Amino acid sequence: MEELVKKHRQEQRELQSRITQKKKAATKKSRKGINDECAELERQLAERHNAELSGGTGSGHVHDGEALSDVEEDNRGLTPMETTVGSFSTPETSATTFQGKKPNRQKARLARRAAEQEATTARAAAEAATLPDLRENERLVMQNELKSRGLVEIDIRPDGHCLYSAVADQLSARRIGQITGGHEEVRPDYKAVRLVAADFISKHADDFSPFLEEPLEDYLVKIKDTAEWGGQLELSALARAYGMNINVLQGDGRVEKIEAGIDNSGQPIWLAYYRHSFGLGEHYNSLQISP
């Protein structure tokens, strides 16, 4: 009888090994068929063992339990995955167990990325809360400077022509005309001021070309025919063309003085320059002496 039990244990181990290999190689489509086949092999082996044991002792029930205990003992040496695959579970249970243990890496990546973005946004908001309000500070400084210097601000439309429009407003207030290309006296406006700046730069190319990052002719076209912003070069050209000094009050309280390059005892014209207060960026307003 002991020899028969040893034989049964060996056969059970061999069958268990075959079943494990079959289930490992099973695909999603073939899993049900493999499970059915393995169950049938187990049933056939159990029936044969019971028959052999019954023939030897007259009782198969106890020995069948012993056979099942042997299977459990064999499973102790298997890895968790092998134990799960080699169990007598139904196909549906096996599929559910397998899918439940498989992590969703894409969802994990998306969740991790969302958390990182949320943390970055929170840090940026915290840093922004500690930064000074540049726009508000600039306006407060400008208001104080205007009051202390006895100046009144004239709002100029922020459209790319603001520097020229601000100069035109100053010239108009002083009843100063300007010469266009045809030497005709006209009421000053930003178009005429643009022409004066372009004409002066063209006639004094040696003074301005070293500061340009593009061909002179292309630069002049932008001044005359587009809404390209004006800056330091254009202010210098206008101061010299009109023979008037230009004072530019900065948002930090400084005054930048653009000299006409000639003896001029007249009053300078005043402009306000903003760096942070307007949505389009840098901006010029006209400043007039308080009456």
Side-chain angles (χ1 to χ4, degrees):
M1 179 59 67
E2 292 181 1
E3 292 297 326
L4 182 59
V5 171
K6 288 182 180 179
K7 175 188 174 185
H8 286 182
R9 287 180 179 176
Q10 181 62 31
E11 290 177 348
Q12 288 167 353
R13 290 191 183 97
E14 292 175 356
L15 178 60
Q16 188 62 51
S17 177
R18 288 175 56 196
I19 289 174
T20 300
Q21 295 300 321
K22 284 178 175 292
K23 291 190 175 183
K24 281 185 177 180
T27 64
K28 186 175 182 180
K29 291 183 178 180
S30 66
R31 185 177 296 121
K32 185 178 187 303
I34 294 294
N35 287 335
D36 292 343
E37 179 184 352
C38 293
E40 179 62 21
L41 290 174
E42 290 172 341
R43 185 188 65 77
Q44 292 175 1
L45 181 63
E47 288 181 354
R48 183 165 60 82
H49 285 181
N50 285 336
E52 292 176 355
L53 291 170
S54 296
T57 64
S59 174
H61 177 71
V62 174
H63 293 289
D64 186 46
E66 292 177 354
L68 291 178
S69 297
D70 291 337
V71 173
E72 294 176 355
E73 180 180 351
D74 291 338
N75 281 342
R76 292 173 188 170
L78 300 177
T79 64
M81 177 60 75
E82 291 172 337
T83 303
T84 302
V85 174
S87 64
F88 303 137
S89 59
T90 63
E92 292 77 11
T93 304
S94 299
T96 303
T97 303
F98 180 75
Q99 293 175 357
K101 291 185 177 181
K102 182 178 180 181
N104 192 322
R105 297 182 179 178
Q106 183 177 6
K107 287 185 177 180
R109 284 196 299 270
L110 292 175
R112 186 165 57 250
R113 188 178 304 169
E116 291 173 354
Q117 291 177 347
E118 184 177 351
T120 300
T121 301
R123 286 196 300 270
E127 292 175 2
T130 63
L131 294 176
D133 188 338
L134 299 179
R135 179 176 182 177
E136 183 63 21
N137 290 348
E138 186 175 58
R139 287 191 175 276
L140 290 175
V141 170
M142 190 66 75
Q143 290 174 4
N144 292 335
E145 290 295 327
L146 293 177
K147 184 177 180 180
S148 65
R149 296 176 185 275
L151 297 171
V152 177
E153 188 169 24
I154 307 299
D155 289 330
I156 300 298
R157 182 179 178 182
D159 57 3
H161 303 294
C162 59
L163 182 148
Y164 305 100
S165 295
V167 172
D169 180 77
Q170 292 284 298
L171 297 175
S172 178
R174 300 188 183 199
R175 292 186 171 83
I176 299 176
Q178 52 249 356
I179 304 298
T180 64
H183 299 283
E184 178 184 359
E185 292 285 343
V186 296
R187 183 176 184 274
D189 58 19
Y190 76 85
K191 293 182 180 179
V193 175
R194 278 185 173 276
L195 291 176
V196 170
D199 185 62
F200 188 89
I201 293 174
S202 176
K203 291 178 180 178
H204 300 81
D206 292 342
D207 296 340
F208 296 93
S209 292
F211 303 99
L212 302 181
E213 298 179 354
E214 59 186 304
L216 177 62
E217 291 303 319
D218 293 345
Y219 192 78
L220 295 176
V221 169
K222 289 182 179 180
I223 296 176
K224 291 186 293 184
D225 301 327
T226 73
E228 185 78 11
W229 295 353
Q232 185 73 21
L233 292 182
E234 289 73 26
L235 285 173
S236 178
L238 292 172
R240 293 168 61 183
Y242 291 118
M244 294 187 304
N245 296 335
I246 301 176
N247 290 346
V248 182
L249 180 60
Q250 307 284 322
D252 58 4
R254 295 180 299 108
V255 176
E256 182 179 3
K257 296 185 177 183
I258 312 296
E259 303 290 343
I262 60 175
D263 293 334
N264 189 343
S265 59
Q267 291 291 327
I269 65 175
W270 283 83
L271 304 179
Y273 172 72
Y274 292 92
R275 185 183 296 272
H276 307 290
S277 299
F278 290 83
L280 293 179
E282 300 174 358
H283 179 70
Y284 291 89
N285 273 341
S286 173
L287 300 178
Q288 297 181 5
I289 304 297
S290 298

Coordinates of all heavy atoms in Angstrom, one line a residue, residues 204-277:
H204 N 20.7 111.2 -42.1 CA 21.9 111.1 -41.1 C 22.1 109.6 -40.8 O 22.3 109.2 -39.7 CB 21.6 111.9 -39.8 CG 21.3 113.3 -40.0 ND1 20.1 113.8 -40.4 CD2 22.1 114.4 -39.9 CE1 20.1 115.1 -40.5 NE2 21.3 115.5 -40.2
A205 N 22.2 108.9 -41.9 CA 22.3 107.4 -41.8 C 23.6 107.0 -41.0 O 23.5 106.0 -40.3 CB 22.4 106.8 -43.2
D206 N 24.7 107.7 -41.1 CA 25.9 107.4 -40.4 C 25.7 107.4 -38.9 O 26.4 106.7 -38.2 CB 27.0 108.3 -40.9 CG 27.5 108.1 -42.3 OD1 27.1 107.0 -42.9 OD2 28.1 108.9 -42.9
D207 N 24.8 108.3 -38.5 CA 24.6 108.4 -37.0 C 23.7 107.3 -36.4 O 23.8 107.0 -35.2 CB 23.9 109.7 -36.7 CG 24.8 110.9 -37.0 OD1 26.0 110.7 -37.2 OD2 24.3 112.0 -37.2
F208 N 22.9 106.6 -37.3 CA 21.9 105.7 -36.8 C 22.2 104.2 -37.3 O 21.8 103.3 -36.5 CB 20.5 106.1 -37.3 CG 20.0 107.4 -36.7 CD1 20.2 108.6 -37.4 CD2 19.4 107.4 -35.4 CE1 19.8 109.8 -36.8 CE2 19.0 108.6 -34.9 CZ 19.2 109.8 -35.6
S209 N 22.8 104.0 -38.4 CA 23.0 102.7 -39.0 C 23.7 101.7 -38.0 O 23.4 100.6 -37.9 CB 23.7 102.8 -40.3 OG 22.9 103.4 -41.3
P210 N 24.8 102.2 -37.3 CA 25.5 101.3 -36.4 C 24.6 100.7 -35.3 O 25.0 99.7 -34.7 CB 26.6 102.2 -35.8 CG 26.8 103.3 -36.8 CD 25.4 103.5 -37.3
F211 N 23.4 101.3 -35.0 CA 22.6 100.8 -34.0 C 21.4 99.9 -34.5 O 20.6 99.4 -33.7 CB 22.0 102.0 -33.2 CG 23.0 102.9 -32.6 CD1 23.3 104.1 -33.2 CD2 23.7 102.5 -31.4 CE1 24.3 104.9 -32.7 CE2 24.6 103.4 -30.9 CZ 24.9 104.6 -31.5
L212 N 21.4 99.7 -35.8 CA 20.3 98.9 -36.4 C 20.7 97.5 -36.6 O 21.9 97.1 -36.9 CB 20.0 99.5 -37.8 CG 19.5 101.0 -37.8 CD1 19.2 101.4 -39.2 CD2 18.3 101.2 -36.9
E213 N 19.8 96.6 -36.5 CA 20.0 95.1 -36.7 C 19.5 94.7 -38.0 O 19.3 93.4 -38.2 CB 19.4 94.4 -35.5 CG 19.9 94.7 -34.2 CD 19.3 93.9 -33.1 OE1 18.3 93.2 -33.4 OE2 19.7 94.0 -31.9
E214 N 19.1 95.6 -38.9 CA 18.6 95.3 -40.2 C 19.0 96.4 -41.2 O 19.4 97.4 -40.8 CB 17.1 95.1 -40.1 CG 16.4 96.4 -39.7 CD 14.9 96.2 -39.5 OE1 14.2 95.7 -40.4 OE2 14.4 96.4 -38.3
P215 N 18.8 96.1 -42.5 CA 19.2 97.2 -43.5 C 18.4 98.5 -43.2 O 17.2 98.5 -42.8 CB 18.8 96.6 -44.8 CG 18.8 95.1 -44.6 CD 18.4 94.9 -43.2
L216 N 19.1 99.6 -43.5 CA 18.4 100.9 -43.2 C 17.1 101.1 -43.9 O 16.2 101.6 -43.3 CB 19.4 102.0 -43.6 CG 18.9 103.5 -43.4 CD1 18.6 103.8 -41.9 CD2 19.9 104.5 -44.0
E217 N 17.1 100.7 -45.2 CA 15.9 100.9 -46.0 C 14.7 100.1 -45.4 O 13.6 100.6 -45.3 CB 16.1 100.5 -47.4 CG 17.0 101.4 -48.2 CD 16.6 102.8 -48.2 OE1 15.3 103.1 -48.3 OE2 17.4 103.7 -48.0
D218 N 14.9 98.9 -44.9 CA 13.8 98.1 -44.3 C 13.4 98.8 -43.0 O 12.2 98.8 -42.7 CB 14.3 96.7 -44.0 CG 14.7 95.9 -45.2 OD1 14.2 96.3 -46.3 OD2 15.3 94.9 -45.1
Y219 N 14.3 99.4 -42.3 CA 14.0 100.1 -41.0 C 13.1 101.3 -41.3 O 12.1 101.6 -40.6 CB 15.2 100.4 -40.3 CG 15.0 100.9 -38.8 CD1 14.8 100.0 -37.8 CD2 15.1 102.2 -38.5 CE1 14.6 100.4 -36.5 CE2 14.8 102.6 -37.2 CZ 14.6 101.7 -36.2 OH 14.4 102.1 -34.9
L220 N 13.5 102.0 -42.3 CA 12.7 103.2 -42.6 C 11.3 102.9 -43.1 O 10.4 103.7 -42.8 CB 13.5 104.0 -43.7 CG 14.8 104.6 -43.3 CD1 15.5 105.3 -44.6 CD2 14.7 105.6 -42.2
V221 N 11.1 101.8 -43.8 CA 9.8 101.4 -44.2 C 8.9 101.1 -43.0 O 7.7 101.5 -43.0 CB 9.9 100.2 -45.1 CG1 8.5 99.6 -45.4 CG2 10.5 100.5 -46.5
K222 N 9.5 100.5 -42.0 CA 8.7 100.2 -40.8 C 8.3 101.5 -40.1 O 7.2 101.6 -39.6 CB 9.5 99.4 -39.8 CG 9.7 97.9 -40.3 CD 10.5 97.1 -39.2 CE 10.7 95.7 -39.7 NZ 11.5 94.9 -38.7
I223 N 9.1 102.5 -40.1 CA 8.8 103.8 -39.4 C 7.7 104.5 -40.2 O 6.7 104.9 -39.6 CB 10.0 104.7 -39.3 CG1 11.1 104.1 -38.4 CG2 9.6 106.1 -38.8 CD1 12.4 104.9 -38.4
K224 N 7.8 104.5 -41.5 CA 6.8 105.3 -42.3 C 5.5 104.6 -42.6 O 4.5 105.2 -42.6 CB 7.5 105.6 -43.7 CG 8.6 106.6 -43.6 CD 9.2 107.0 -45.0 CE 9.8 105.8 -45.7 NZ 10.4 106.2 -47.0
D225 N 5.5 103.3 -42.8 CA 4.4 102.6 -43.3 C 3.7 101.5 -42.4 O 2.8 100.9 -42.8 CB 4.7 101.9 -44.6 CG 5.2 102.9 -45.7 OD1 4.7 104.1 -45.6 OD2 6.1 102.6 -46.5
T226 N 4.2 101.4 -41.2 CA 3.7 100.3 -40.3 C 3.4 100.9 -38.9 O 3.6 102.1 -38.7 CB 4.6 99.1 -40.1 OG1 5.7 99.5 -39.3 CG2 5.2 98.7 -41.5
A227 N 2.9 100.1 -38.0 CA 2.6 100.5 -36.6 C 3.7 100.0 -35.7 O 3.5 99.9 -34.5 CB 1.3 100.0 -36.2
E228 N 4.9 99.9 -36.3 CA 6.1 99.5 -35.5 C 6.3 100.5 -34.4 O 6.3 101.7 -34.6 CB 7.3 99.4 -36.4 CG 8.6 98.8 -35.7 CD 8.5 97.3 -35.5 OE1 7.6 96.7 -36.1 OE2 9.4 96.8 -34.8
W229 N 6.6 100.0 -33.1 CA 6.8 100.9 -32.0 C 8.1 101.7 -32.2 O 9.1 101.3 -32.8 CB 7.0 100.1 -30.7 CG 5.8 99.4 -30.3 CD1 4.5 99.5 -30.9 CD2 5.6 98.4 -29.3 NE1 3.6 98.7 -30.2 CE2 4.3 98.0 -29.2 CE3 6.5 97.9 -28.3 CZ2 3.8 97.1 -28.3 CZ3 6.1 97.0 -27.4 CH2 4.7 96.6 -27.4
G230 N 8.1 102.9 -31.7 CA 9.3 103.8 -31.7 C 10.0 103.7 -30.4 O 9.4 103.3 -29.4
G231 N 11.3 104.1 -30.4 CA 12.0 104.0 -29.2 C 13.1 105.1 -29.1 O 12.9 106.2 -29.6
Q232 N 14.3 104.7 -28.5 CA 15.3 105.6 -28.3 C 15.8 106.3 -29.6 O 16.0 107.5 -29.6 CB 16.5 104.9 -27.6 CG 17.6 105.8 -27.2 CD 17.3 106.7 -26.0 OE1 16.4 106.3 -25.2 NE2 18.0 107.8 -25.8
L233 N 16.0 105.5 -30.6 CA 16.5 106.1 -31.9 C 15.6 107.1 -32.5 O 16.0 108.2 -32.9 CB 16.8 105.0 -32.9 CG 17.9 104.0 -32.6 CD1 18.1 103.0 -33.7 CD2 19.2 104.8 -32.4
E234 N 14.3 106.8 -32.4 CA 13.3 107.7 -33.0 C 13.2 109.0 -32.2 O 13.0 110.1 -32.7 CB 11.9 107.0 -33.1 CG 11.8 105.9 -34.2 CD 12.6 104.7 -33.8 OE1 12.8 104.4 -32.6 OE2 13.1 103.9 -34.7
L235 N 13.2 108.8 -30.8 CA 13.2 110.0 -30.0 C 14.4 110.9 -30.3 O 14.3 112.2 -30.3 CB 13.2 109.6 -28.5 CG 11.9 109.1 -28.0 CD1 12.1 108.5 -26.5 CD2 10.8 110.1 -28.0
S236 N 15.6 110.3 -30.4 CA 16.8 111.1 -30.8 C 16.6 111.9 -32.1 O 16.9 113.0 -32.2 CB 18.0 110.2 -30.8 OG 19.2 110.9 -31.1
A237 N 16.1 111.1 -33.1 CA 15.9 111.8 -34.4 C 14.9 112.9 -34.3 O 15.1 114.0 -34.9 CB 15.4 110.7 -35.4
L238 N 13.8 112.7 -33.6 CA 12.7 113.8 -33.5 C 13.3 115.0 -32.7 O 12.9 116.1 -33.0 CB 11.5 113.2 -32.8 CG 10.7 112.1 -33.6 CD1 9.6 111.5 -32.8 CD2 10.1 112.8 -34.9
A239 N 14.0 114.8 -31.6 CA 14.6 115.9 -30.8 C 15.5 116.7 -31.7 O 15.4 118.0 -31.7 CB 15.4 115.3 -29.6
R240 N 16.3 116.1 -32.5 CA 17.2 116.8 -33.4 C 16.4 117.5 -34.6 O 16.7 118.6 -35.0 CB 18.3 115.9 -33.9 CG 19.2 115.4 -32.8 CD 20.1 114.3 -33.3 NE 21.0 114.7 -34.4 CZ 21.8 113.8 -35.0 NH1 21.9 112.6 -34.6 NH2 22.6 114.3 -36.0
A241 N 15.4 116.8 -35.1 CA 14.7 117.3 -36.3 C 13.9 118.5 -35.9 O 13.8 119.5 -36.6 CB 13.8 116.2 -36.8
Y242 N 13.3 118.5 -34.7 CA 12.5 119.7 -34.2 C 13.3 120.7 -33.4 O 12.8 121.8 -33.1 CB 11.3 119.2 -33.4 CG 10.3 118.5 -34.2 CD1 10.0 117.1 -34.0 CD2 9.6 119.1 -35.3 CE1 9.0 116.5 -34.7 CE2 8.7 118.4 -36.0 CZ 8.4 117.1 -35.8 OH 7.4 116.4 -36.5
G243 N 14.5 120.4 -33.1 CA 15.4 121.3 -32.3 C 14.8 121.5 -30.9 O 15.0 122.6 -30.4
M244 N 14.2 120.4 -30.3 CA 13.7 120.6 -29.0 C 14.2 119.4 -28.1 O 14.2 118.3 -28.6 CB 12.2 120.6 -29.0 CG 11.5 121.8 -29.7 SD 9.7 121.8 -29.5 CE 9.4 120.2 -30.2
N245 N 14.5 119.7 -26.9 CA 14.9 118.6 -25.9 C 13.6 117.9 -25.5 O 12.5 118.5 -25.5 CB 15.5 119.2 -24.7 CG 16.9 119.8 -25.0 OD1 17.5 119.5 -26.0 ND2 17.3 120.8 -24.2
I246 N 13.7 116.6 -25.3 CA 12.6 115.7 -24.9 C 12.9 115.1 -23.6 O 13.9 114.4 -23.4 CB 12.3 114.6 -25.9 CG1 12.0 115.3 -27.3 CG2 11.1 113.8 -25.5 CD1 11.8 114.2 -28.4
N247 N 12.1 115.3 -22.6 CA 12.2 114.7 -21.3 C 11.2 113.5 -21.2 O 10.0 113.7 -21.4 CB 11.9 115.7 -20.1 CG 13.0 116.7 -20.0 OD1 14.1 116.6 -20.6 ND2 12.7 117.8 -19.3
V248 N 11.7 112.4 -20.8 CA 10.9 111.2 -20.7 C 10.9 110.7 -19.3 O 11.9 110.3 -18.7 CB 11.4 110.0 -21.6 CG1 10.5 108.8 -21.5 CG2 11.5 110.5 -23.1
L249 N 9.7 110.9 -18.6 CA 9.5 110.5 -17.2 C 9.3 109.0 -17.2 O 8.3 108.5 -17.7 CB 8.3 111.3 -16.6 CG 8.0 111.0 -15.1 CD1 9.2 111.3 -14.2 CD2 6.8 111.7 -14.7
Q250 N 10.2 108.3 -16.5 CA 10.1 106.8 -16.4 C 9.1 106.4 -15.2 O 8.8 107.1 -14.3 CB 11.5 106.2 -16.1 CG 12.5 106.7 -17.1 CD 12.4 106.0 -18.4 OE1 12.1 104.8 -18.5 NE2 12.7 106.8 -19.5
G251 N 8.7 105.1 -15.3 CA 7.8 104.6 -14.3 C 8.4 104.4 -12.9 O 7.7 104.2 -11.9
D252 N 9.8 104.5 -12.9 CA 10.5 104.4 -11.6 C 10.8 105.8 -11.0 O 11.6 105.9 -10.0 CB 11.7 103.6 -11.7 CG 12.7 104.1 -12.7 OD1 12.4 105.1 -13.3 OD2 13.7 103.4 -12.9
G253 N 10.4 106.9 -11.7 CA 10.7 108.2 -11.2 C 11.8 108.9 -11.9 O 12.0 110.1 -11.7
R254 N 12.6 108.2 -12.6 CA 13.8 108.8 -13.3 C 13.3 109.6 -14.5 O 12.3 109.3 -15.1 CB 14.8 107.8 -13.8 CG 15.5 107.0 -12.7 CD 16.4 106.0 -13.2 NE 15.8 105.0 -14.0 CZ 15.9 104.9 -15.4 NH1 16.6 105.8 -16.0 NH2 15.3 103.9 -16.0
V255 N 14.1 110.6 -14.9 CA 13.8 111.4 -16.1 C 15.0 111.2 -17.1 O 16.1 111.5 -16.8 CB 13.7 112.9 -15.8 CG1 13.5 113.7 -17.1 CG2 12.5 113.1 -14.8
E256 N 14.6 110.7 -18.3 CA 15.6 110.5 -19.3 C 15.5 111.7 -20.3 O 14.5 112.0 -20.8 CB 15.4 109.2 -20.1 CG 16.4 109.0 -21.2 CD 16.2 107.7 -22.0 OE1 15.1 107.0 -21.6 OE2 17.0 107.3 -22.8
K257 N 16.7 112.4 -20.5 CA 16.7 113.6 -21.3 C 17.3 113.3 -22.6 O 18.4 112.9 -22.7 CB 17.5 114.7 -20.5 CG 16.8 115.1 -19.2 CD 17.5 116.3 -18.5 CE 16.8 116.7 -17.3 NZ 17.5 117.9 -16.6
I258 N 16.5 113.6 -23.7 CA 17.0 113.4 -25.0 C 17.4 114.8 -25.6 O 16.5 115.7 -25.7 CB 15.9 112.8 -25.9 CG1 15.3 111.6 -25.3 CG2 16.5 112.5 -27.3 CD1 16.3 110.4 -25.0
E259 N 18.6 115.1 -25.8 CA 19.1 116.4 -26.2 C 18.9 116.6 -27.7 O 19.1 115.7 -28.5 CB 20.6 116.6 -25.8 CG 20.9 116.4 -24.3 CD 20.3 117.5 -23.5 OE1 20.0 118.6 -24.0 OE2 20.2 117.3 -22.2
A260 N 18.6 117.9 -28.0 CA 18.4 118.2 -29.4 C 19.8 118.4 -30.1 O 19.8 118.4 -31.4 CB 17.6 119.5 -29.6
G261 N 20.9 118.6 -29.4 CA 22.2 118.7 -30.0 C 22.5 120.1 -30.4 O 23.5 120.4 -31.0
I262 N 21.6 121.1 -30.0 CA 21.9 122.5 -30.4 C 21.5 123.4 -29.1 O 20.9 122.9 -28.2 CB 21.0 123.0 -31.6 CG1 19.5 122.8 -31.2 CG2 21.4 122.2 -32.8 CD1 18.6 123.4 -32.3
D263 N 22.0 124.6 -29.1 CA 21.6 125.5 -28.0 C 20.2 125.8 -28.1 O 19.7 126.3 -29.1 CB 22.5 126.8 -28.1 CG 23.9 126.5 -27.8 OD1 24.2 125.5 -27.1 OD2 24.8 127.3 -28.3
N264 N 19.4 125.4 -27.1 CA 18.0 125.6 -27.1 C 17.6 126.0 -25.7 O 17.6 125.2 -24.8 CB 17.3 124.3 -27.5 CG 15.8 124.5 -27.7 OD1 15.2 125.5 -27.3 ND2 15.2 123.6 -28.4
S265 N 17.1 127.2 -25.5 CA 16.7 127.7 -24.2 C 15.2 127.5 -24.0 O 14.7 127.9 -23.0 CB 17.0 129.2 -24.1 OG 16.4 129.9 -25.1
G266 N 14.5 126.9 -25.0 CA 13.0 126.7 -24.9 C 12.7 125.6 -23.9 O 13.6 124.8 -23.5
Q267 N 11.5 125.5 -23.6 CA 11.0 124.5 -22.7 C 11.0 123.1 -23.4 O 10.6 123.0 -24.6 CB 9.6 124.7 -22.2 CG 9.5 125.9 -21.2 CD 10.1 125.6 -19.9 OE1 10.1 124.5 -19.4 NE2 10.7 126.7 -19.3
P268 N 11.5 122.0 -22.7 CA 11.4 120.7 -23.4 C 10.0 120.2 -23.4 O 9.1 120.7 -22.7 CB 12.3 119.9 -22.4 CG 12.1 120.5 -21.1 CD 12.0 122.0 -21.4
I269 N 9.8 119.3 -24.2 CA 8.5 118.6 -24.3 C 8.6 117.4 -23.3 O 9.7 116.8 -23.1 CB 8.1 118.1 -25.7 CG1 9.0 117.1 -26.2 CG2 8.0 119.3 -26.6 CD1 8.6 116.5 -27.6
W270 N 7.5 117.0 -22.7 CA 7.5 115.9 -21.7 C 6.7 114.7 -22.2 O 5.6 114.9 -22.7 CB 6.9 116.4 -20.4 CG 7.9 117.2 -19.6 CD1 8.1 118.5 -19.7 CD2 8.7 116.8 -18.5 NE1 9.0 119.0 -18.8 CE2 9.4 117.9 -18.1 CE3 8.9 115.5 -17.9 CZ2 10.3 117.8 -17.0 CZ3 9.8 115.5 -16.8 CH2 10.5 116.6 -16.4
L271 N 7.2 113.5 -22.0 CA 6.5 112.3 -22.3 C 6.6 111.4 -21.1 O 7.5 111.4 -20.3 CB 7.1 111.5 -23.5 CG 7.3 112.3 -24.8 CD1 7.9 111.4 -25.9 CD2 5.9 112.8 -25.3
A272 N 5.6 110.6 -20.9 CA 5.6 109.6 -19.8 C 5.8 108.2 -20.4 O 5.1 107.9 -21.4 CB 4.2 109.6 -19.0
Y273 N 6.7 107.4 -19.9 CA 7.0 106.1 -20.4 C 6.6 105.0 -19.4 O 7.1 105.0 -18.2 CB 8.5 106.0 -20.7 CG 8.9 104.6 -21.1 CD1 8.6 104.1 -22.3 CD2 9.7 103.9 -20.2 CE1 9.0 102.8 -22.7 CE2 10.1 102.6 -20.6 CZ 9.8 102.1 -21.8 OH 10.2 100.8 -22.1
Y274 N 5.7 104.1 -19.8 CA 5.3 103.0 -19.0 C 5.9 101.7 -19.5 O 5.8 101.4 -20.7 CB 3.8 102.9 -18.9 CG 3.1 104.0 -18.2 CD1 2.7 105.2 -18.9 CD2 2.9 104.0 -16.9 CE1 2.1 106.2 -18.3 CE2 2.2 105.0 -16.2 CZ 1.8 106.2 -16.9 OH 1.2 107.2 -16.3
R275 N 6.3 100.8 -18.6 CA 6.8 99.5 -19.0 C 5.8 98.4 -18.6 O 5.8 97.4 -19.3 CB 8.2 99.3 -18.3 CG 8.8 98.0 -18.7 CD 10.1 97.8 -18.0 NE 11.1 98.8 -18.3 CZ 12.0 98.8 -19.3 NH1 12.0 97.7 -20.1 NH2 12.8 99.8 -19.5
H276 N 5.1 98.6 -17.5 CA 4.2 97.5 -17.0 C 2.7 97.7 -17.0 O 2.0 96.8 -16.7 CB 4.7 97.1 -15.6 CG 6.1 96.9 -15.4 ND1 6.8 95.8 -15.9 CD2 7.1 97.6 -14.8 CE1 8.0 95.8 -15.6 NE2 8.3 96.9 -14.9
S277 N 2.3 98.9 -17.3 CA 0.9 99.3 -17.0 C -0.1 99.0 -18.1 O -1.3 99.1 -17.9 CB 0.8 100.8 -16.6 OG 1.6 101.0 -15.4

